[in-house]
Each structure stands twice: as C-alpha cells, then as structure tokens.
Amino acid sequence: MPQIIVLPHVELCPEGAVFEAKTGTSVCDALLSNGIEIEHACEKSCACTTCHVVVREGFNSLEEAEEKEEDLLDKAWGLEPNSRLSCQALVADSDLTVQIPKYTINHAKEEH
Ligand code: FES
C-alpha cells in the first residue's frame, strides 16, 4: 500500500506522521482514520476549502482536480501549485508527502 508522510502541523500532528493508505481512499479519510483531525467543514462534498493540503511529493500521481475543486482552491488560505482539497484527492499507487497548511480559511477569518 502507498505510504503517506504527513509533515508536522502545530496542532494536528506536531510530530508529523507516517502511515499506509489504500489506493482509492481520499487523502482526507486517510488522515482522519489515522487520528489526524483535519477540518472537513462540508463533510467532504467539495463545497469548502477547510480540507486543503499541499502535496509536497507524489502530486503527479493523483488524478487531476476537477474544475469545481480548482475554483474552490482559489479561495483557500496559502494556495500553492501543488494544493489539493484532500477530500477530493484519491490516493493512487504512489507514496505521498502531505503538508497541512497552518490555517484554513475559517481560522484566517477568525484570528487574523
Ligand atoms: S471537506 Fe469541504 S471540500 Fe473537502
């Protein structure tokens, strides 16, 4: 099974994490089922940006984002060329290195 490396995130996984995920699982589900409580405000229906992640390695193994995801990503805090909405990005057959941005748009609004 492909391995997912999660880079440290101050609140969600201060030490970082490494785990395996089944091909076809969304990155969001893989994180949640390994105890990393990434936000998913719209319940993974591609209607928010709170599950935004940056795929540092393995980005090209993922299927391309659909237009709706791209449009939403434009509004995400800390957008990068390798950004994805984790509930829409399905693990393929390659290892991934994932970074959870420091803020989501919810936090950015409340705290800044
Ligand atoms: S949880 Fe809302 S877009 Fe992923």
Side-chain angles (χ1 to χ4, degrees):
M1 282 201 284
Q3 201 174 53
I4 304 205
I5 299 172
V6 186
L7 299 179
H9 179 281
V10 184
E11 285 164 29
L12 300 177
C13 63
E15 310 283 309
V18 182
F19 51 81
E20 291 188 331
K22 257 203 206 147
T23 300
T25 321
S26 74
V27 174
C28 188
D29 283 333
L31 291 167
L32 292 170
S33 57
N34 285 279
I36 299 173
E37 294 294 325
I38 185 165
E39 286 186 54
H40 47 289
C42 73
E43 292 301 330
K44 311 171 205 162
S45 59
C46 197
C48 71
T49 59
T50 60
C51 68
H52 171 211
V53 296
V54 180
V55 184
R56 294 280 175 222
E57 276 175 47
F59 182 81
N60 291 332
S61 74
L62 303 171
E63 274 201 28
E64 274 185 42
E66 291 187 7
E67 209 177 310
K68 190 172 172 201
E69 181 184 342
E70 296 282 6
D71 288 350
L72 277 170
L73 273 172
D74 281 342
K75 302 183 193 132
W77 187 93
L79 181 68
E80 295 199 23
N82 286 6
S83 288
R84 291 298 303 260
L85 294 179
S86 65
C87 71
Q88 301 300 308
L90 304 184
V91 177
D93 48 12
S94 306
D95 295 349
L96 298 174
T97 302
V98 170
Q99 182 172 20
I100 304 171
K102 198 164 167 199
Y103 302 113
T104 66
I105 206 151
N106 290 350
H107 283 137
K109 266 194 205 139
E110 284 162 20
E111 295 170 18
H112 300 275

